[in-house]
């Protein structure tokens, strides 16, 4: 049955930004509702060890997010399993429609919808998605025990995924479009020391090749960026790790965006182009994109929302 719920602060997203906003908004006695979306806990649930969360030398990403959820709930945040499918920011109170049928109205909204994995857009990548092509090593790595795998990308995610996949694979080829990795030095050192990983520099993925019946990957064709020469590499799994794009589709035609889809905020704040709407985390940050910076922005968003609501009452 459809239901309507009003809240002072609606938080959309359950990554580090959303849960931290939940903790702060609850402690400000704003009784926030937090809608979790399709990925409760956000991107960190797709990884294993997190080594740069202050206070934990090493923590498993999914465990950290379970703890953040519990923390937000313990402070009084109403954490709801739902997906916002439509958001109307044209007038206050703002209105959000949930996939569950619930309509949420809110005096202030904190957007913390984060980012999603990018794909290359090749027809063969699309064809084999879920049948050998994946964007999540922790989700799918287990299926490739003793097999050869390729990883595409040169950032932290690609290097971490390549390292993680050596737990299962007989060989991992890391294909990068340049001859220099973007990843942190500590990760590059681990990569270079791992005997199971072979980097293939200056190459892009040209095509995923596989069988039809059953549908499955057999090899990939990689193209040299300068010479155009094609190299075929046997592989049962292809992991695409070429970065993430902000999940801003709910607000794309309502808020000012920049850098290809990131929600623009007033420098030093989380204020968007609409008063009462705040944005935090990977949704707005094209530079740092870390768990700790997202959590920091979640805190800022809750404090900004609190000040905004207090000013409305003056
Ligand atoms: P996200 O974590 O992206 O969460 C977004 C949330 O929004 C999700 O809960 C989703 O369900 C929700 N959502 C989206 N759309 C809707 C909707 N329509 N309705 C309701 N909810 C919605 N950073 C580090 O600091 N250290 C690391 O070791 C590290 N490792 C990483 C490993 C991997 C594999 C990846 C992919 C990223 C890693 N990062 C790491 C980056 C870090 O995960 C992100 O910076 C951080 O998660 C961003 O937090 P966020 O709260 O902005 O959004
Ligand atoms: P990223 O840093 O944006 O790196 C994306 C990589 O993919 C780059 O090497 C890029 O190449 C390559 N690439 C992009 N588009 C491509 C294309 N069309 N074809 C071929 N290659 C392509 O993304 P990320 O690695 O997912 O990291 C995202 C954020 O999360 C970063 O801020 C990162 O620090 C953070 N993160 C942190 C950790 C950690 O702290 N341990 C772990 C994972 C992620 P170029 O280098 O040539 O641009």
């Amino acid at each position: 049955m459809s239901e309507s719920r009003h809240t002072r602060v609606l938080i959309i997203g359950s990554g580090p930004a959303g849960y931290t906003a939940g903790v702060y908004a609850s402690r400000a006695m704003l009784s926030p509702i937090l809608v979790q979306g399709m990925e409760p806990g956000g991107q960190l649930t797709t990884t294993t060890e997190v080594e740069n969360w202050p206070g934990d030398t090493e923590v498993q990403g999914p465990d950290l997010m379970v703890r953040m959820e519990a923390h937000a709930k313990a402070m009084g945040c109403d954490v709801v399993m739902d997906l916002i499918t439509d958001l109307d920011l044209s007038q206050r109170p703002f209105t959000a429609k949930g996939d569950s049928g619930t309509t949420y109205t809110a005096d202030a909204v904190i957007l913390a919808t984060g980012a999603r994995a990018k794909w290359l857009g090749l027809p063969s990548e699309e064809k084999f998605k879920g049948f050998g092509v994946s964007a999540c090593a922790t989700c799918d790595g287990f299926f490739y025990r003793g097999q050869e795998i390729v990883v595409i990308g040169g950032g932290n995610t690609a290097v971490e995924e390549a390292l993680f996949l050596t737990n299962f694979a007989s060989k991992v080829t890391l294909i990068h479009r340049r001859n220099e990795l973007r990843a942190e030095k500590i990760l590059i050192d681990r990569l270079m020391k791992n005997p199971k990983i072979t980097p293939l520099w200056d190459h892009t993925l040209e095509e995923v090749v596989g069988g039809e019946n059953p549908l499955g990957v057999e090899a990939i064709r990689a193209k040299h960026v300068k010479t155009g020469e094609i190299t075929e590499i046997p592989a049962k799994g292809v992991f695409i790790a070429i970065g993430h794009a902000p999940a801003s589709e709910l607000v794309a035609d309502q808020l000012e965006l920049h850098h290809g889809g990131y929600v623009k905020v007033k420098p030093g704040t989380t204020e968007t182009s609409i008063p009462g709407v705040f944005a935090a985390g990977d949704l707005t940050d094209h530079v740092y994109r870390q768990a700790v910076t997202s959590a920091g922005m979640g805190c800022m968003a809750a404090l900004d929302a609190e000040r905004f609501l207090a000013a409305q009452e003056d």
Side-chain angles (χ1 to χ4, degrees), residues 111-135:
L111 300 164
T113 50
R116 290 197 198 101
K118 283 197 227 168
W119 297 94
L120 289 164
L122 300 170
S124 58
E125 170 193 61
E126 189 58 36
K127 176 176 172 181
F128 291 105
K129 252 186 214 172
F131 296 90
V133 172
S134 168

Side-chain angles (χ1 to χ4, degrees), residues 13-17 36-37 39 43-44 52 84 114-115 282 289-291 294:
S14 57
Q36 287 183 306
E39 190 173 63
Q43 291 172 63
L44 283 189
N52 49 17
I84 300 301
D282 279 16
R289 295 175 298 171
Q290 302 295 304
S294 298

